[in-house]
Amino acid sequence: MAENKGLNLFRLPRWNQLPSVDQYLEQVLQLIDEWLGDFIPHTGKRVITRTMINNYVKQRFINPPENKKYNRLSIACLFVITVLKPVYTIDEISRLIRLGIDFKDAEFSYNQFCDMVEEAVRHAFEGTPVPKNPQRKDPNDLFWHVANSFASQLYVRHTYLL
């Protein structure tokens, strides 16, 4: 991957862009790779592996598949996990997901997470400050910090370490 290659194109699928029909594991892996494969550091062929997902299910970080298929909420959680796993532990990510869902419904929280992560990445690579919401109890404050921690890590990796 070339330095900063295509990071201006970094996007996350919004809730309505995630499959409305439940997906088999291989389809989920392919979807995540299509969206994040060029941006998230990984070794091997996949950004997230079958084994990782199976472990997330066993540890109850995501809901188990029904009839071997993952629903939209599980897929959204896997996108959040994939984005945040270079920065946070899986336990921390699980707690962050629960905090987001407890604030509002999953669709709203997921879309807001996507918006803030994309904005933070754009600002990190443009070298501009991200406007901050100063209210501590507001979940936007949480999303702001989470998004910026990911964007900062991505910037350092792509600018200095690759």
Side-chain angles (χ1 to χ4, degrees):
M1 187 184 316
E3 183 178 313
N4 296 341
K5 180 184 176 219
L7 285 166
N8 59 323
L9 302 174
F10 180 84
R11 300 287 180 275
L12 291 167
R14 296 312 187 264
W15 187 267
N16 65 354
Q17 292 175 294
L18 296 174
S20 58
V21 176
D22 294 353
Q23 302 287 295
Y24 288 108
L25 181 56
E26 191 57 38
Q27 293 170 303
V28 173
L29 291 167
Q30 183 176 348
L31 180 68
I32 293 171
D33 279 344
E34 286 172 8
W35 280 90
L36 298 176
D38 290 337
F39 306 107
I40 304 295
H42 60 284
T43 56
K45 297 179 183 178
R46 300 262 187 210
V47 177
I48 191 170
T49 66
R50 175 181 302 275
T51 302
M52 289 176 186
I53 293 174
N54 287 333
N55 285 334
Y56 301 152
V57 169
K58 284 179 193 171
Q59 296 172 23
R60 299 178 193 250
F61 295 127
I62 63 169
N63 293 328
E66 289 188 29
N67 298 319
K68 298 186 180 187
K69 292 183 179 182
Y70 294 84
N71 63 24
R72 187 180 277 180
L73 176 59
S74 292
I75 295 170
C77 288
L78 287 169
F79 269 96
V80 172
I81 289 168
T82 303
V83 166
L84 296 181
K85 71 184 176 77
V87 184
Y88 295 100
T89 68
I90 189 62
D91 288 326
E92 292 167 334
I93 295 168
S94 179
R95 288 179 25 214
L96 291 169
I97 289 171
R98 281 194 301 274
L99 285 169
I101 291 173
D102 288 348
F103 162 65
K104 228 24 175 177
D105 64 66
E107 178 179 355
F108 178 88
S109 293
Y110 175 74
N111 286 337
Q112 190 165 21
F113 170 81
C114 292
D115 290 343
M116 288 196 173
V117 167
E118 288 175 7
E119 181 181 3
V121 168
R122 185 176 64 254
H123 284 286
F125 285 90
E126 291 173 357
T128 56
V130 179
K132 183 174 181 324
N133 179 350
Q135 301 172 357
R136 274 250 181 253
K137 297 293 181 186
D138 185 344
N140 287 327
D141 188 60
L142 169 67
F143 291 152
W144 185 89
H145 286 289
V146 168
N148 280 290
S149 62
F150 166 73
S152 295
Q153 179 268 349
L154 191 67
Y155 175 79
V156 168
R157 271 225 168 93
H158 285 266
T159 303
Y160 299 105
L161 301 176
L162 289 181

